[in-house]
Amino acid sequence: MKKIAVFFILGAMFFNIAQGQSDLTFYHMGGFTPQSSINNASFFPDAEFYFSLPGISGLNTKINTRLSYNQLMQPVEGTDSVKLDLHGALAQLSDGDNLRMMGDVSIFQFGVRSGHRAFSLFANIRFDGGFNYPVSFLNYFVNGNGNFIGERVEESRLRGGGIVYNEVGLGYSQEIIVMTDKILRVGTRVKYLHGIAHASVSDDASVTMLTDPNSFDINVNFNNATIRTAGLNEIEGENMTGYAIGFGQNRNTGFAFDLGADMDVNDKLNVTLAVNDIGFINWKQDIESHTFQNEGVVLGGFDDVNDIDIADALEDSLDAWTATNSTVDEFKTAIGARVIAGANYLITENGYVSGSIAYKRSSYNSTEFGYGIGYTHQIGRVLTLSSTVSKDQFRSVKVGGGFGIRVGSLQLYGVFDDVLNAARSTGDIRGLDARIGLNFVIGRSSREKKERVKVEKEELSPFPPEYDLDHLLNDEDDGSSKF
C-alpha cells in the first residue's frame, strides 16, 4: 500500500507521460508496417505475406517528463552537488494537467493476403494509465500552509489508474468496390485479453486540508478515497511468468475488438476511420482494496517544504490513513476506447498530405483529443519519409517525424512524435516519444492490385451485355449508320 500511495502522490510532481494522441505521425504513414493495424484494422502492408519476431518487431513508448532534469535539479552554489527544486517544479504545473502513459510491445505478428482479403494473427503487451495532477494538494505542502490559516483547501482531482494486459487476436480485412468505382477497405480485429495488473482511484475521491489558526497544525482528511488493485501480488510471485502469459494461471480475462475503414474517394483523395479497443477485462484474481479512511490525520505546520521530508511524512502517516482489505468481489474495467479519423490527399505522384483527429478515453474515464497535419513521401521502392505537426489537448505543438526502409524482405521503421524535444541537450530533454521495429515482409501487392482494380472497374458497367447498343450506331458490314 505504501508503494502505491507514494507513487500516486509524489510521482505526479515529476512525470507527465505522453498522451495517446501522439501516434498521429505513425497513423499518417498508413499501412506501411504490420503494426499499423493497431491504429486501423483495415491497414495491411504492401506485401503478400509478413511476419515479425518478439522484441525487435515493435516497441512503442511515450514518455514526456514536462519538466526537464535541469528544471527539477538546481546546482548547489560552491559545490558539484545538485538539489531538488520543488518550487520550480510546481511552478511548471497548471490546473487540468494530467499524467498519461501508454505503450505496447509487439510479441508476434503474422499476416497473409489472398486476393481481395487479408488475414492476420498477432500478440501484444499493452499498458495504459495515468492520473490528474493534484495541484492544490502539492501547492499546499510545497509552498507551506502559512497562506492558508483557517482556510479549508480541497483537492478533488485525485482520479487515476492504470492497466497492464496482453492481447492475442485475429484480424481480417477486405477490399470491396462501392458506389460503382470507389475502393473501400474494411477490417476488424477480435482480441482475447489477459489482465496482468490494475490500479484505480475511486472517481469521487478528494482530500481536504485545514490549518488550525492557533496551533498551525494541518488536519488532513481523505474522503471516499479508495485504491482498488488486482494482480499486484501475482506479478511479484514465483509464478509471475505463467501468470503474465496466461495458460490457465490467470483468471483476469476479457475481450475487445477494433474496426477500421479506408476508402479511396477518387484518384487523389483517401479517407480513413478507426474505432479501437472497444472491450473490457473482468478482474477476478488477486483483488484488494486500499481505503484512505475519513478520520483526520494531524501534521505539524511548516513554513517551507524544506522544513520537512515529504516522503518520510507521508510514509509515517500511511498506517493511520489507510486500511487494506482483501476482497473477492469481481469488477470489470474498460481498456480505453480510441477513435481516429483522417484524410489523405495526393499532391505529387509519390507524396500526400494528411490530416487527422483522435479521441481517447482512458481506462480510468479521462478523455483527451488531439489533431495533426502532415506530409508523407515515397522515395523509390526503398525509403518512406513522413512528418507531422500535431497538438494534444494538454500539450504544446509538436513536430514529429518518421521513416521506413525496405530492402528486399527486410523492413525497418522508426517514428518520433517530438523530434524537437529529442534534439535538446541531455539535461533539457523532457521525454521520449518513439515507435521502432523490424519486420519481414515478402512480396509486393501494389502493382498487382492496381491492375486488378482497373479491370474490375471496367467490368462494372451499369448495363448487362445484352443491352450493348454499340452495333446500332455502326454497322461494320456496310459502314453505314442505322440512324
Side-chain angles (χ1 to χ4, degrees), residues 136-168:
S136 298
F137 180 86
L138 296 172
N139 183 62
Y140 193 92
F141 283 96
V142 170
N143 293 321
N145 62 330
N147 296 325
F148 305 97
I149 304 299
E151 178 183 349
R152 185 179 298 276
V153 178
E154 180 177 12
E155 177 58 77
S156 58
R157 293 180 295 271
L158 296 181
R159 179 182 298 174
I163 56 174
V164 183
Y165 63 95
N166 57 46
E167 60 180 17
V168 179

Side-chain angles (χ1 to χ4, degrees), residues 37-50:
S37 62
I38 201 170
N39 284 330
N40 190 311
S42 69
F43 287 170
F44 196 92
D46 181 14
E48 297 295 333
F49 168 78
Y50 70 77

Side-chain angles (χ1 to χ4, degrees), residues 152-190:
R152 185 179 298 276
V153 178
E154 180 177 12
E155 177 58 77
S156 58
R157 293 180 295 271
L158 296 181
R159 179 182 298 174
I163 56 174
V164 183
Y165 63 95
N166 57 46
E167 60 180 17
V168 179
L170 295 170
Y172 173 78
S173 62
Q174 180 172 351
E175 293 179 354
I176 56 178
I177 304 256
V178 297
M179 294 183 289
T180 305
D181 61 350
K182 313 299 183 188
I183 304 173
L184 173 65
R185 288 166 288 273
V186 294
T188 185
R189 305 198 322 157
V190 181

Side-chain angles (χ1 to χ4, degrees), residues 95-168:
D95 289 338
D97 285 348
N98 67 353
L99 179 152
R100 291 285 294 114
M101 55 192 90
M102 285 186 68
D104 57 79
V105 178
S106 177
I107 302 302
F108 177 74
Q109 302 278 336
F110 171 83
V112 60
R113 184 190 297 273
S114 177
H116 300 271
R117 301 173 179 85
F119 307 86
S120 61
L121 173 66
F122 58 89
N124 303 299
I125 297 177
R126 302 183 64 182
F127 176 78
D128 176 29
F131 55 93
N132 297 331
Y133 285 115
V135 177
S136 298
F137 180 86
L138 296 172
N139 183 62
Y140 193 92
F141 283 96
V142 170
N143 293 321
N145 62 330
N147 296 325
F148 305 97
I149 304 299
E151 178 183 349
R152 185 179 298 276
V153 178
E154 180 177 12
E155 177 58 77
S156 58
R157 293 180 295 271
L158 296 181
R159 179 182 298 174
I163 56 174
V164 183
Y165 63 95
N166 57 46
E167 60 180 17
V168 179

Side-chain angles (χ1 to χ4, degrees), residues 295-307:
E295 289 81 359
V297 173
V298 179
L299 301 176
F302 56 94
D303 294 325
D304 189 87
V305 69
N306 294 320
D307 295 341

Side-chain angles (χ1 to χ4, degrees), residues 102-353:
M102 285 186 68
D104 57 79
V105 178
S106 177
I107 302 302
F108 177 74
Q109 302 278 336
F110 171 83
V112 60
R113 184 190 297 273
S114 177
H116 300 271
R117 301 173 179 85
F119 307 86
S120 61
L121 173 66
F122 58 89
N124 303 299
I125 297 177
R126 302 183 64 182
F127 176 78
D128 176 29
F131 55 93
N132 297 331
Y133 285 115
V135 177
S136 298
F137 180 86
L138 296 172
N139 183 62
Y140 193 92
F141 283 96
V142 170
N143 293 321
N145 62 330
N147 296 325
F148 305 97
I149 304 299
E151 178 183 349
R152 185 179 298 276
V153 178
E154 180 177 12
E155 177 58 77
S156 58
R157 293 180 295 271
L158 296 181
R159 179 182 298 174
I163 56 174
V164 183
Y165 63 95
N166 57 46
E167 60 180 17
V168 179
L170 295 170
Y172 173 78
S173 62
Q174 180 172 351
E175 293 179 354
I176 56 178
I177 304 256
V178 297
M179 294 183 289
T180 305
D181 61 350
K182 313 299 183 188
I183 304 173
L184 173 65
R185 288 166 288 273
V186 294
T188 185
R189 305 198 322 157
V190 181
K191 303 179 284 189
Y192 180 66
L193 311 178
H194 268 122
I196 299 174
H198 166 89
S200 62
V201 179
S202 50
D203 290 343
D204 57 349
S206 65
V207 58
T208 57
M209 298 149 289
L210 176 64
T211 299
D212 189 290
N214 298 316
S215 64
F216 299 102
D217 288 339
I218 305 171
N219 294 279
V220 182
N221 285 273
F222 280 93
N223 308 305
N224 303 315
T226 298
I227 297 178
R228 187 170 54 181
T229 68
L232 296 187
N233 295 315
E234 292 285 357
I235 62 178
E236 295 181 351
E238 296 179 357
N239 298 321
M240 178 188 67
T241 302
Y243 169 78
I245 296 175
F247 297 114
Q249 299 185 38
N250 187 331
R251 295 185 290 111
N252 300 320
T253 59
F255 294 91
F257 65 91
D258 304 334
L259 298 173
D262 175 3
M263 187 173 76
D264 294 333
V265 178
N266 53 44
D267 292 339
K268 292 184 177 295
L269 179 62
N270 167 269
V271 294
T272 63
L273 177 66
V275 182
N276 302 317
D277 298 327
I278 306 299
F280 59 88
I281 296 176
N282 284 312
W283 300 94
K284 303 179 180 180
Q285 187 172 339
D286 187 22
I287 302 170
E288 292 183 348
S289 63
H290 313 270
T291 302
F292 287 81
Q293 302 180 74
N294 289 340
E295 289 81 359
V297 173
V298 179
L299 301 176
F302 56 94
D303 294 325
D304 189 87
V305 69
N306 294 320
D307 295 341
I308 65 169
D309 188 318
I310 293 181
D312 287 344
L314 290 174
E315 186 172 352
D316 291 342
S317 303
L318 284 176
D319 290 336
W321 268 339
T322 64
T324 300
N325 298 310
S326 296
T327 176
V328 294
D329 294 335
E330 301 175 4
F331 63 96
K332 179 189 296 186
T333 59
I335 60 174
R338 296 181 298 139
V339 179
I340 308 176
N344 308 304
Y345 191 82
L346 196 68
I347 59 175
T348 68
E349 183 178 357
N350 297 308
Y352 59 87
V353 173

